[in-house]
Amino acid sequence: MKISKIYAREVLDSRGNPTVEAEVSIEAPIKGSKKIVRNIKGRSIVPSGASTGELEAVELRDNDPKRYGGKGVSLAVNNVNKIIANQFTGKEFNSQQEIDHALIHLDGTPNKSKLGANAILAVSMAYARAMAAALDMPLYRYLNKSGKFTMPVPCMNVINGGKHADNNVDFQEFMIAPHNAPSFKESIRMGEETFHALKSILNKKGYSTGVGDEGGFAPNLKSNEEAVEVILEAIHKAGYTPGKDISLCIDPASSEMWEDDHYVLFKSTKEKISSEGLLKIWDSWIQQYPIILLEDGMAENDWEGWKLLTDQLKNKVELTGDDIFCTNPAILQKGIDAGIANSVLIKLNQIGTVTETIDTIEMAYKNNYNCFISHRSGETEDTTIADLTVATNAGHLKTGSGCRGERIAKFNQLLRIEDELGKSAKFAGLKAFKNQ
């Protein structure tokens, strides 16, 4: 199938910052005819992160203070329209891998800094969508290799802190995982009921119910522990049992607290603690609370701390590496060899192509690591990660809280997928998490 057109434009993400949208059109033959063709278009939008790993593929920005405070992406858009389009229009590719490898070769840098990972990923995802449409199949089937499809547990970020909120909570994400359900549909209902129960509790306590970047509430609380305790109260209020029906996942975004070989906690007191001190906090929390997943429990540059964390907690909880791995197969292999973590967070724009993302997922599975699919704080209405989660049988994903359209878009797409799959859709449940 020949590419007939590639076009990109500058659009907006959920924080009101520019990002890249791409459209790829391909000429696909009509069934039963070798001569009559139809133009099939695929469209995608690239998300953007606030809490980012140092080794992520380069998100190309204009750095022109006269446009969007320097955050414009006209350079990346032009790279699609003037370089990628000129090279690829009129060409045929035999697979997703072939076009993605051609994009990587065209850029020619190890971190996609020439064309920009945002330019490359926009084309990669749009091509996947166009091919899926041309083959008359949904995206999750196009990306699937096993013939099996798993509906994930939605890990909903109900309280925001850290860089995702202007409050006094140190840790970035407090998530609920409604796993004791027969289906994704019932799981999301449980999560939404708990989300609304939490809002009423916060209101009653006199706390703000304004939300952060990912839709979670962002109140000023008395302590980090209070964030956990108020969520447990909400689970009870919604009629569920913590641990049995709904468990917790924590992403403290430890890299954001790492300064000069120690961690700076507590926004008010700026207390400094060592890796061993932070490990004691996590060990205590896991013993005290129904936490089944800890993401970025140590900073990306604290490999020794990560090793301590893994050695002590790897048989108790899922330990997910985000900043430390950056969805990069080479870095993940280094972590596997060093015995770091037992799970990897998957973000398409950290690595920059659909193929490399799936390569990382396959590497993780071959080495008995879990994969936790993730959105970014600067999200869009694009629902690719919903299809990717089902296609790769990851079993759990995070795409934000129980509100905001760019977050709910993923939930609604998963509800559609579950309907389409019917009885063949298997809900992951608690088994999606390591050591559960």
Side-chain angles (χ1 to χ4, degrees):
M1 299 184 194
K2 186 185 297 183
I3 292 178
S4 57
K5 185 178 180 181
I6 297 176
Y7 179 75
R9 61 176 64 87
E10 188 178 59
V11 296
L12 299 176
D13 69 19
S14 60
R15 291 192 302 236
N17 292 327
T19 189
V20 182
E21 178 179 75
E23 295 175 353
V24 173
S25 298
I26 59 176
E27 294 178 353
I30 294 176
K31 285 183 179 180
S33 172
K34 294 182 179 180
K35 295 182 179 181
I36 303 174
V37 298
R38 53 187 177 143
N39 259 313
I40 303 293
K41 182 186 292 184
R43 177 187 294 143
S44 72
I45 313 178
V46 176
S48 176
S51 174
T52 57
E54 292 178 4
L55 299 178
E56 290 190 21
V58 172
E59 178 186 67
L60 188 61
R61 297 278 179 180
D62 298 344
N63 295 318
D64 178 358
K66 295 180 180 179
R67 293 191 73 251
Y68 289 109
K71 294 184 178 181
V73 292
S74 62
L75 292 175
V77 167
N78 287 338
N79 286 342
V80 174
N81 292 334
K82 294 181 179 180
I83 299 177
I84 297 175
N86 288 344
Q87 288 288 323
F88 288 8
T89 301
K91 287 189 175 181
E92 295 180 5
F93 294 95
N94 294 317
S95 66
Q96 184 72 40
Q97 291 88 343
E98 189 174 337
I99 189 171
D100 286 343
H101 290 151
L103 285 164
I104 294 165
H105 179 75
L106 182 63
D107 176 84
T109 68
N111 59 358
K112 301 178 178 66
S113 58
K114 179 182 177 182
L115 300 176
N118 42 353
I120 292 170
L121 181 61
V123 174
S124 177
M125 292 196 301
Y127 179 82
R129 287 192 169 277
M131 283 299 297
L135 294 168
D136 293 320
M137 62 174 61
L139 183 61
Y140 64 88
R141 288 192 182 274
Y142 172 76
L143 298 176
N144 177 264
K145 296 181 179 180
S146 68
K148 298 178 181 179
F149 303 96
T150 303
M151 297 307 302
V153 178
C155 300
M156 302 168 68
N157 179 11
V158 294
I159 289 186
N160 292 180
K163 273 199 168 183
H164 286 180
D166 294 325
N167 62 3
N168 62 353
V169 178
D170 292 294
F171 305 144
Q172 188 166 278
E173 298 179 17
F174 295 81
M175 295 170 270
I176 55 172
H179 47 72
N180 189 22
S183 64
F184 176 81
K185 180 179 180 180
E186 290 303 295
S187 176
I188 201 68
R189 176 181 63 79
M190 293 166 62
E192 290 290 353
E193 288 170 356
T194 304
F195 175 73
H196 289 288
L198 178 59
K199 182 176 182 178
S200 68
I201 290 169
L202 292 173
N203 263 323
K204 189 174 181 180
K205 291 178 180 288
Y207 289 137
S208 167
T209 53
V211 298
D213 281 350
E214 298 181 355
F217 301 114
N220 279 316
L221 301 174
K222 297 182 181 69
S223 65
N224 294 314
E225 287 83 358
E226 189 181 10
V228 177
E229 289 161 2
V230 75
I231 292 171
L232 296 178
E233 185 179 347
I235 293 171
H236 282 294
K237 182 178 176 63
Y240 302 108
T241 302
K244 178 186 175 184
D245 299 314
I246 300 176
S247 297
L248 306 182
C249 305
I250 308 292
D251 172 16
S254 297
S255 295
E256 305 297 338
M257 301 180 287
W258 179 250
E259 294 182 17
D260 301 323
D261 296 330
H262 59 259
Y263 294 90
V264 179
L265 264 69
F266 312 114
K267 291 181 178 180
S268 56
T269 62
K270 303 293 184 182
E271 179 181 333
K272 297 179 181 180
I273 65 171
S274 64
S275 303
E276 291 83 358
L278 188 56
L279 173 56
K280 287 180 181 178
I281 291 176
W282 301 141
D283 193 22
S284 173
W285 276 34
I286 289 165
Q287 291 184 49
Q288 186 177 357
Y289 304 122
I291 296 171
I292 57 175
L293 183 148
L294 176 64
E295 176 189 332
D296 277 359
M298 295 287 171
E300 62 187 306
N301 292 318
D302 186 12
W303 281 72
E304 290 183 5
W306 260 107
K307 182 60 175 171
L308 288 172
L309 178 75
T310 306
D311 288 347
Q312 185 159 331
L313 300 181
K314 65 182 178 182
N315 295 321
K316 297 180 181 179
V317 69
E318 181 164 331
L319 297 170
T320 302
D322 175 15
D323 293 344
I324 195 170
F325 295 144
C326 290
T327 317
N328 186 308
I331 304 173
L332 176 59
Q333 186 62 61
K334 179 183 175 183
I336 291 167
D337 293 342
I340 299 295
N342 57 25
S343 172
V344 56
L345 200 74
I346 300 294
K347 295 173 176 174
L348 284 151
N349 79 318
Q350 281 186 328
I351 189 63
T353 64
V354 171
T355 295
E356 290 169 293
T357 303
I358 293 175
D359 287 347
T360 304
I361 292 170
E362 291 180 345
M363 175 182 287
Y365 289 162
K366 286 177 182 177
N367 289 277
N368 199 31
Y369 276 54
N370 270 13
C371 291
F372 189 27
I373 311 294
S374 175
H375 61 161
R376 301 309 300 254
S377 55
E379 257 302 331
T380 76
E381 62 269 32
D382 188 291
T383 59
T384 299
I385 62 168
D387 287 74
L388 179 68
T389 305
V390 175
T392 58
N393 296 285
H396 50 345
L397 90 162
K398 64 173 187 174
T399 182
S401 188
C403 69
R404 294 186 61 137
E406 75 280 0
R407 316 292 157 179
I408 300 305
K410 281 70 165 176
F411 295 147
N412 288 342
Q413 175 65 359
L414 286 164
L415 290 168
R416 295 183 197 107
I417 292 172
E418 188 170 60
D419 262 356
E420 289 174 10
L421 289 171
K423 292 182 179 179
S424 64
K426 305 299 181 184
F427 180 64
L430 187 59
K431 291 182 180 179
F433 300 86
K434 275 284 184 186
N435 304 309
Q436 303 301 316

